[in-house]
């Protein structure tokens, strides 16, 4: 008999307010409805989880080099957005000891395989999806997976996500969005993934991802 379980990245601290292992601040970074900075919001959450920054909302006032670079880049891409290859280059420039693996563009099936593999390596993954019938891409942060465990074997079928365009993860508890990409009964990949938030359900396809290895948690500055 199998059981549905959720597996989170080792640095995630589930609770009333989803947090990071060494931070007293909630992890979620809220995106406005007017900007295209979802990729940067996801990066801010990664860096907070890793302890590189203490609070994503403080980058506008802090004078440390890394916060200054993050704020400057956010203002640069606020309206036009950012590709994953540009993000990989920017992370290298931050010199924060983070390592990336990139799937700039790929089929839905290849993106699923890439994300599953990188999550199994204890990496955080920023992934991109688009709603079926549209061309707009949106970036979200995968912090874990939900799936069936049977005979000590875990078979994932959904991504547990922090979506910067959604509100804090209170209604759904440990995340604010979930992307179901496989059938719970058969384990077969769905043609279209089901994307669920507290307020809506969409049919989407994954089309890119970048994984970030953050190493051992740092003590926030």
């Amino acid at each position: 008999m199998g059981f549905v379980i959720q597996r989170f990245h080792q640095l995630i601290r589930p609770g009333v307010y989803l947090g990071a292992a060494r931070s007293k601040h909630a992890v979620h970074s809220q995106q406005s409805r007017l900007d295209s900075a979802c990729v940067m919001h996801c990066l801010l959450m990664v860096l907070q989880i890793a302890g590189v920054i203490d609070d994503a909302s403080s980058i506008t006032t802090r004078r440390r080099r890394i916060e200054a670079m993050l704020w400057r880049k956010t203002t640069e891409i606020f309206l036009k957005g950012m590709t994953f290859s540009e993000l990989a280059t920017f992370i290298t420039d931050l010199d924060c000891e983070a390592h990336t693996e990139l799937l700039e563009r790929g089929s839905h099936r290849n993106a699923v395989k890439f994300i599953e593999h990188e999550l199994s390596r204890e990496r955080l993954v920023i992934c991109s999806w688009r709603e079926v019938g549209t061309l707009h891409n949106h970036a979200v942060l995968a912090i874990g997976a939900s799936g069936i465990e049977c005979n000590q074997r875990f078979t994932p079928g959904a991504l547990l996500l922090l979506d910067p365009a959604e509100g804090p993860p209170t209604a759904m508890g440990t995340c604010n969005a979930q992307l179901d990409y496989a059938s719970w009964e058969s384990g077969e990949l769905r043609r279209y993934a089901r994307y669920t938030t507290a307020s809506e359900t969409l049919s989407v396809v994954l089309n890119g991802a970048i994984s970030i290895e953050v190493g051992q948690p740092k003590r926030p500055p």
Side-chain angles (χ1 to χ4, degrees):
M1 180 177 180
F3 299 88
V4 177
I5 65 170
Q6 294 181 335
R7 287 187 175 181
F8 287 90
H9 188 275
Q10 61 181 344
L11 301 184
I12 292 294
R13 188 189 71 241
V16 177
Y17 299 102
L18 190 74
R22 291 193 174 186
S23 175
K24 62 181 181 293
H25 300 287
V27 164
H28 182 254
S29 179
Q30 183 73 55
Q31 180 188 7
S32 79
R33 294 185 179 274
L34 300 177
D35 69 71
S36 298
C38 51
V39 170
M40 280 300 297
H41 279 281
C42 290
L43 175 61
L44 291 173
M45 289 189 279
V46 170
L47 296 178
Q48 184 175 331
I49 291 169
V52 176
I53 61 175
D54 184 38
D55 181 6
S57 64
S58 71
I59 66 168
T60 60
T61 58
R62 296 290 296 275
R63 295 184 177 180
R64 272 203 327 152
R65 171 182 173 273
I66 192 165
E67 278 96 345
M69 290 180 67
L70 289 166
W71 177 238
R72 188 161 53 247
K73 179 58 70 174
T74 301
T75 60
E76 288 176 4
I77 59 94
F78 188 79
L79 294 178
K80 65 179 182 179
M82 189 180 198
T83 67
F84 284 158
S85 60
E86 291 171 338
L87 177 62
T89 300
F90 179 65
I91 290 173
T92 300
D93 293 340
L94 286 177
D95 194 24
C96 59
E97 301 179 5
H99 304 284
T100 61
E101 294 286 342
L102 180 64
L103 179 68
E104 178 72 69
R105 287 290 177 206
S107 68
H108 177 64
R109 184 176 296 275
N110 287 340
V112 167
K113 290 180 179 179
F114 177 87
I115 295 166
E116 281 186 341
H117 179 256
E118 295 303 296
L119 286 176
S120 71
R121 299 171 67 191
E122 290 292 344
R123 294 185 168 196
L124 293 161
V125 185
I126 301 174
C127 41
S128 170
W129 58 260
R130 64 169 180 82
E131 186 178 0
V132 174
T134 73
L135 298 176
H136 177 71
N137 296 317
H138 181 55
V140 294
L141 176 62
I143 57 172
S146 179
I148 301 293
E149 183 165 309
C150 185
N151 297 325
Q152 297 184 327
R153 181 181 179 182
F154 178 64
T155 303
L159 301 176
L160 304 174
L161 304 166
L162 289 179
D163 185 335
E166 297 293 324
T170 52
M172 298 179 71
T174 53
C175 57
N176 67 356
Q178 182 167 311
L179 190 149
D180 293 271
Y181 58 83
S183 167
W184 294 105
E185 293 81 11
S186 66
E188 293 182 359
L189 194 67
R190 301 177 187 271
R191 182 182 180 190
Y192 301 131
R194 184 172 64 241
Y195 192 80
T196 306
T197 68
S199 59
E200 62 181 351
T201 299
L202 306 172
S203 293
V204 305
V205 291
L206 292 161
N207 56 14
I210 179 172
S211 69
I212 306 174
E213 182 182 14
V214 295
Q216 293 301 312
K218 301 174 178 61
R219 187 173 297 280

